[in-house]
Amino acid sequence: RSIYYATSFDIQYDEAWNYNLFLDQHFYYSMVAYNNYPFHNLITWLFVHAFGNSVVVLRLPVILMGLFTVLYTIFATQFLVKKQWVALLSGTVFACLPVSVFYMMYARGVMFEIFFVIVLYSLLICFLQTKFSLKRILLLAVLNALGTYSMLSHPYFILASFAALFIYGLMYSRELIRYSIIYLVASFLFSFIQFIPMIAGSGMSPGIHATLGLQAASFTAYINHVEELSYFITGFSYTFYMITLILIALLFYSFKKNKF
């Protein structure tokens, strides 16, 4: 499907802009000049200079990363849930989500970011079921750094996952509180280290200004934005609310089960 889309749709403006500004330059240019998807650009640069600068080659890295993400989703679900039909269903659903279809079609770095988020999420669940250690925390921090290098907004996931670990530690494990702090510090430290060339080359002012320039929106505007994102990711505007209610119900069930 992705190969069909890649050969059927003309190159988009931002794909052409990204190629002219980064992929048609030296390999190191994406490392020292500000861009939103440095990891994607480095990988795609290798493909373009090895196989030519056609639209299909330009999109081939995200197609392969998308297929790899689908396979990882299947095997990770099988490992965690131990049910093959659930694993196959999870991979099928992920492959059919509008967000997956879109970002397996156009040459952007979002699919790289999605891959690292799914890997991190599955490992967090696995480590919660087994046991955290310093080596495992550092592994998660390295993966977070790669996620940040895939898309510069990944630190939002770092903060959200840290908050989840910290709250879980408050409820169940004092040791996890310490590990969650190490997780947060190491993730941001590793992310900062790999961006030193970009900071020294062009600075991070475009991303900083975009973050600091956000203004508080009305509650209605916020709700509309959430529903638009829900529609883009899943194809339905109210999926976010449905999943939130299901998660709250599961939390109450978990608390009741552990209490009695």
Short mmCIF file of all heavy atoms in Angstrom, two decimals, residues 150-187:
data_model
loop_
_atom_site.label_atom_id
_atom_site.label_comp_id
_atom_site.label_asym_id
_atom_site.label_seq_id
_atom_site.Cartn_x
_atom_site.Cartn_y
_atom_site.Cartn_z
N SER A 150 14.74 12.09 16.50
CA SER A 150 13.80 11.80 15.42
C SER A 150 12.80 12.93 15.23
O SER A 150 12.44 13.27 14.10
CB SER A 150 13.04 10.50 15.71
OG SER A 150 13.92 9.41 15.79
N MET A 151 12.34 13.53 16.35
CA MET A 151 11.41 14.64 16.28
C MET A 151 11.58 15.49 17.53
O MET A 151 11.54 14.97 18.65
CB MET A 151 9.97 14.13 16.16
CG MET A 151 8.98 15.21 15.74
SD MET A 151 7.41 14.51 15.15
CE MET A 151 6.66 13.99 16.68
N LEU A 152 11.75 16.77 17.36
CA LEU A 152 12.15 17.63 18.46
C LEU A 152 11.08 17.82 19.52
O LEU A 152 11.37 18.36 20.58
CB LEU A 152 12.59 19.00 17.92
CG LEU A 152 14.09 19.11 17.59
CD1 LEU A 152 14.51 18.14 16.52
CD2 LEU A 152 14.44 20.54 17.18
N SER A 153 9.86 17.38 19.28
CA SER A 153 8.80 17.48 20.29
C SER A 153 8.75 16.25 21.19
O SER A 153 7.88 16.17 22.07
CB SER A 153 7.45 17.69 19.62
OG SER A 153 7.16 16.62 18.73
N HIS A 154 9.66 15.29 21.00
CA HIS A 154 9.67 14.08 21.83
C HIS A 154 9.81 14.35 23.33
O HIS A 154 9.31 13.55 24.13
CB HIS A 154 10.79 13.14 21.37
CG HIS A 154 10.84 11.85 22.13
ND1 HIS A 154 10.02 10.78 21.84
CD2 HIS A 154 11.62 11.46 23.18
CE1 HIS A 154 10.29 9.79 22.68
NE2 HIS A 154 11.25 10.17 23.50
N PRO A 155 10.47 15.44 23.77
CA PRO A 155 10.53 15.71 25.22
C PRO A 155 9.17 15.75 25.91
O PRO A 155 9.10 15.53 27.12
CB PRO A 155 11.24 17.07 25.28
CG PRO A 155 12.17 17.04 24.12
CD PRO A 155 11.39 16.33 23.03
N TYR A 156 8.09 16.03 25.18
CA TYR A 156 6.77 15.95 25.80
C TYR A 156 6.49 14.53 26.27
O TYR A 156 5.89 14.32 27.34
CB TYR A 156 5.68 16.39 24.80
CG TYR A 156 5.68 17.87 24.52
CD1 TYR A 156 5.99 18.36 23.26
CD2 TYR A 156 5.38 18.79 25.52
CE1 TYR A 156 5.98 19.72 22.99
CE2 TYR A 156 5.36 20.15 25.27
CZ TYR A 156 5.67 20.61 24.00
OH TYR A 156 5.68 21.97 23.76
N PHE A 157 6.90 13.54 25.48
CA PHE A 157 6.74 12.15 25.89
C PHE A 157 7.62 11.84 27.10
O PHE A 157 7.21 11.11 28.00
CB PHE A 157 7.09 11.20 24.74
CG PHE A 157 7.08 9.74 25.14
CD1 PHE A 157 5.90 9.03 25.15
CD2 PHE A 157 8.26 9.10 25.50
CE1 PHE A 157 5.89 7.70 25.52
CE2 PHE A 157 8.26 7.77 25.88
CZ PHE A 157 7.06 7.06 25.89
N ILE A 158 8.83 12.39 27.12
CA ILE A 158 9.73 12.17 28.26
C ILE A 158 9.08 12.68 29.54
O ILE A 158 9.07 11.99 30.57
CB ILE A 158 11.08 12.87 28.03
CG1 ILE A 158 11.79 12.27 26.81
CG2 ILE A 158 11.97 12.75 29.26
CD1 ILE A 158 13.10 12.96 26.45
N LEU A 159 8.51 13.87 29.48
CA LEU A 159 7.87 14.44 30.67
C LEU A 159 6.65 13.62 31.08
O LEU A 159 6.44 13.37 32.27
CB LEU A 159 7.46 15.89 30.38
CG LEU A 159 8.61 16.90 30.24
CD1 LEU A 159 8.07 18.25 29.78
CD2 LEU A 159 9.36 17.05 31.56
N ALA A 160 5.85 13.21 30.11
CA ALA A 160 4.63 12.44 30.43
C ALA A 160 4.99 11.08 31.02
O ALA A 160 4.37 10.64 32.01
CB ALA A 160 3.78 12.27 29.17
N SER A 161 5.97 10.41 30.45
CA SER A 161 6.35 9.09 30.96
C SER A 161 7.02 9.21 32.32
O SER A 161 6.84 8.35 33.19
CB SER A 161 7.28 8.38 29.97
OG SER A 161 8.40 9.18 29.64
N PHE A 162 7.79 10.28 32.53
CA PHE A 162 8.37 10.52 33.85
C PHE A 162 7.27 10.72 34.90
O PHE A 162 7.34 10.15 36.00
CB PHE A 162 9.27 11.76 33.83
CG PHE A 162 9.48 12.38 35.18
CD1 PHE A 162 10.31 11.77 36.13
CD2 PHE A 162 8.84 13.57 35.52
CE1 PHE A 162 10.48 12.33 37.38
CE2 PHE A 162 9.02 14.13 36.78
CZ PHE A 162 9.84 13.51 37.71
N ALA A 163 6.27 11.50 34.56
CA ALA A 163 5.16 11.74 35.49
C ALA A 163 4.45 10.43 35.83
O ALA A 163 4.11 10.18 36.99
CB ALA A 163 4.17 12.74 34.88
N ALA A 164 4.25 9.57 34.83
CA ALA A 164 3.60 8.29 35.07
C ALA A 164 4.44 7.41 35.99
O ALA A 164 3.92 6.79 36.93
CB ALA A 164 3.35 7.58 33.74
N LEU A 165 5.75 7.34 35.72
CA LEU A 165 6.64 6.54 36.57
C LEU A 165 6.68 7.08 37.99
O LEU A 165 6.66 6.32 38.97
CB LEU A 165 8.06 6.54 35.99
CG LEU A 165 8.32 5.65 34.78
CD1 LEU A 165 9.74 5.84 34.28
CD2 LEU A 165 8.07 4.19 35.12
N PHE A 166 6.73 8.41 38.11
CA PHE A 166 6.82 9.03 39.44
C PHE A 166 5.56 8.76 40.26
O PHE A 166 5.63 8.39 41.44
CB PHE A 166 7.04 10.54 39.28
CG PHE A 166 7.37 11.23 40.57
CD1 PHE A 166 8.66 11.23 41.07
CD2 PHE A 166 6.38 11.88 41.29
CE1 PHE A 166 8.97 11.87 42.27
CE2 PHE A 166 6.66 12.52 42.48
CZ PHE A 166 7.97 12.51 42.97
N ILE A 167 4.40 8.92 39.62
CA ILE A 167 3.13 8.67 40.32
C ILE A 167 3.01 7.19 40.69
O ILE A 167 2.58 6.84 41.79
CB ILE A 167 1.94 9.11 39.44
CG1 ILE A 167 1.96 10.63 39.27
CG2 ILE A 167 0.62 8.67 40.05
CD1 ILE A 167 0.95 11.15 38.27
N TYR A 168 3.41 6.31 39.77
CA TYR A 168 3.39 4.88 40.06
C TYR A 168 4.32 4.56 41.24
O TYR A 168 3.98 3.73 42.10
CB TYR A 168 3.82 4.10 38.82
CG TYR A 168 3.61 2.60 38.94
CD1 TYR A 168 2.42 2.02 38.53
CD2 TYR A 168 4.61 1.77 39.44
CE1 TYR A 168 2.21 0.65 38.63
CE2 TYR A 168 4.42 0.40 39.54
CZ TYR A 168 3.22 -0.15 39.13
OH TYR A 168 3.02 -1.51 39.24
N GLY A 169 5.47 5.22 41.27
CA GLY A 169 6.40 5.03 42.38
C GLY A 169 5.83 5.49 43.70
O GLY A 169 6.04 4.85 44.74
N LEU A 170 5.11 6.61 43.70
CA LEU A 170 4.47 7.09 44.93
C LEU A 170 3.46 6.10 45.47
O LEU A 170 3.28 5.96 46.69
CB LEU A 170 3.78 8.44 44.66
CG LEU A 170 4.68 9.65 44.44
CD1 LEU A 170 3.85 10.86 44.07
CD2 LEU A 170 5.51 9.95 45.69
N MET A 171 2.80 5.37 44.57
CA MET A 171 1.74 4.46 44.99
C MET A 171 2.29 3.08 45.37
O MET A 171 1.79 2.45 46.29
CB MET A 171 0.70 4.31 43.88
CG MET A 171 -0.09 5.58 43.61
SD MET A 171 -1.48 5.30 42.47
CE MET A 171 -0.60 4.78 41.00
N TYR A 172 3.33 2.64 44.66
CA TYR A 172 3.72 1.24 44.83
C TYR A 172 5.19 1.00 45.17
O TYR A 172 5.51 -0.03 45.77
CB TYR A 172 3.41 0.45 43.53
CG TYR A 172 1.96 0.43 43.17
CD1 TYR A 172 1.50 1.14 42.07
CD2 TYR A 172 1.04 -0.29 43.92
CE1 TYR A 172 0.16 1.13 41.72
CE2 TYR A 172 -0.30 -0.32 43.59
CZ TYR A 172 -0.74 0.40 42.48
OH TYR A 172 -2.06 0.38 42.15
N SER A 173 6.11 1.90 44.78
CA SER A 173 7.53 1.59 44.94
C SER A 173 8.34 2.86 45.16
O SER A 173 8.45 3.69 44.25
CB SER A 173 8.06 0.85 43.70
OG SER A 173 9.46 0.71 43.75
N ARG A 174 8.90 3.00 46.36
CA ARG A 174 9.74 4.15 46.65
C ARG A 174 11.01 4.15 45.81
O ARG A 174 11.53 5.20 45.45
CB ARG A 174 10.10 4.16 48.14
CG ARG A 174 8.91 4.29 49.06
CD ARG A 174 8.19 5.60 48.83
NE ARG A 174 7.01 5.74 49.67
CZ ARG A 174 6.17 6.76 49.62
NH1 ARG A 174 6.35 7.71 48.73
NH2 ARG A 174 5.11 6.81 50.41
N GLU A 175 11.53 2.96 45.51
CA GLU A 175 12.73 2.87 44.69
C GLU A 175 12.50 3.42 43.29
O GLU A 175 13.39 4.02 42.69
CB GLU A 175 13.19 1.42 44.61
CG GLU A 175 14.51 1.23 43.86
CD GLU A 175 14.91 -0.23 43.72
OE1 GLU A 175 14.01 -1.09 43.68
OE2 GLU A 175 16.13 -0.50 43.68
N LEU A 176 11.28 3.24 42.78
CA LEU A 176 10.95 3.72 41.44
C LEU A 176 10.95 5.24 41.38
O LEU A 176 11.18 5.81 40.31
CB LEU A 176 9.59 3.17 41.00
CG LEU A 176 9.19 3.43 39.54
CD1 LEU A 176 10.25 2.90 38.59
CD2 LEU A 176 7.84 2.78 39.25
N ILE A 177 10.71 5.91 42.49
CA ILE A 177 10.77 7.38 42.51
C ILE A 177 12.18 7.84 42.14
O ILE A 177 12.36 8.75 41.33
CB ILE A 177 10.36 7.92 43.90
CG1 ILE A 177 8.90 7.57 44.19
CG2 ILE A 177 10.58 9.42 43.97
CD1 ILE A 177 8.45 8.00 45.56
N ARG A 178 13.18 7.19 42.75
CA ARG A 178 14.57 7.54 42.45
C ARG A 178 14.91 7.22 40.99
O ARG A 178 15.54 8.03 40.30
CB ARG A 178 15.51 6.77 43.38
CG ARG A 178 17.00 7.01 43.14
CD ARG A 178 17.83 6.38 44.24
NE ARG A 178 17.68 4.93 44.23
CZ ARG A 178 18.46 4.10 43.52
NH1 ARG A 178 19.41 4.61 42.74
NH2 ARG A 178 18.28 2.80 43.57
N TYR A 179 14.46 6.07 40.52
CA TYR A 179 14.73 5.70 39.14
C TYR A 179 14.04 6.65 38.15
O TYR A 179 14.58 6.95 37.08
CB TYR A 179 14.27 4.27 38.88
CG TYR A 179 15.25 3.21 39.35
CD1 TYR A 179 14.81 2.08 40.01
CD2 TYR A 179 16.62 3.35 39.12
CE1 TYR A 179 15.70 1.10 40.44
CE2 TYR A 179 17.52 2.38 39.55
CZ TYR A 179 17.06 1.27 40.20
OH TYR A 179 17.94 0.31 40.62
N SER A 180 12.84 7.10 38.50
CA SER A 180 12.13 8.01 37.60
C SER A 180 12.85 9.34 37.46
O SER A 180 12.89 9.93 36.37
CB SER A 180 10.70 8.23 38.10
OG SER A 180 10.68 8.92 39.34
N ILE A 181 13.46 9.82 38.54
CA ILE A 181 14.23 11.07 38.48
C ILE A 181 15.48 10.89 37.63
O ILE A 181 15.83 11.74 36.81
CB ILE A 181 14.59 11.55 39.90
CG1 ILE A 181 13.31 11.90 40.67
CG2 ILE A 181 15.52 12.75 39.84
CD1 ILE A 181 13.55 12.24 42.13
N ILE A 182 16.17 9.74 37.82
CA ILE A 182 17.34 9.44 36.98
C ILE A 182 16.93 9.34 35.52
O ILE A 182 17.63 9.82 34.62
CB ILE A 182 18.01 8.13 37.44
CG1 ILE A 182 18.53 8.26 38.88
CG2 ILE A 182 19.15 7.75 36.51
CD1 ILE A 182 19.08 6.97 39.45
N TYR A 183 15.78 8.72 35.28
CA TYR A 183 15.24 8.58 33.92
C TYR A 183 15.04 9.95 33.27
O TYR A 183 15.44 10.16 32.12
CB TYR A 183 13.92 7.82 34.01
CG TYR A 183 13.06 7.85 32.77
CD1 TYR A 183 13.28 6.97 31.73
CD2 TYR A 183 12.00 8.75 32.66
CE1 TYR A 183 12.47 6.98 30.59
CE2 TYR A 183 11.19 8.77 31.55
CZ TYR A 183 11.43 7.88 30.51
OH TYR A 183 10.63 7.91 29.40
N LEU A 184 14.46 10.88 34.02
CA LEU A 184 14.20 12.21 33.48
C LEU A 184 15.51 12.95 33.19
O LEU A 184 15.70 13.49 32.08
CB LEU A 184 13.37 13.01 34.48
CG LEU A 184 13.07 14.46 34.10
CD1 LEU A 184 12.13 14.52 32.90
CD2 LEU A 184 12.47 15.23 35.28
N VAL A 185 16.41 12.97 34.17
CA VAL A 185 17.68 13.71 34.02
C VAL A 185 18.52 13.12 32.90
O VAL A 185 19.04 13.84 32.04
CB VAL A 185 18.45 13.72 35.35
CG1 VAL A 185 19.83 14.36 35.15
CG2 VAL A 185 17.67 14.47 36.42
N ALA A 186 18.66 11.78 32.88
CA ALA A 186 19.49 11.13 31.86
C ALA A 186 18.91 11.32 30.46
O ALA A 186 19.65 11.53 29.49
CB ALA A 186 19.64 9.65 32.18
N SER A 187 17.59 11.25 30.33
CA SER A 187 16.95 11.42 29.02
C SER A 187 17.22 12.80 28.45
O SER A 187 17.58 12.95 27.27
CB SER A 187 15.44 11.17 29.12
OG SER A 187 15.16 9.84 29.49
#
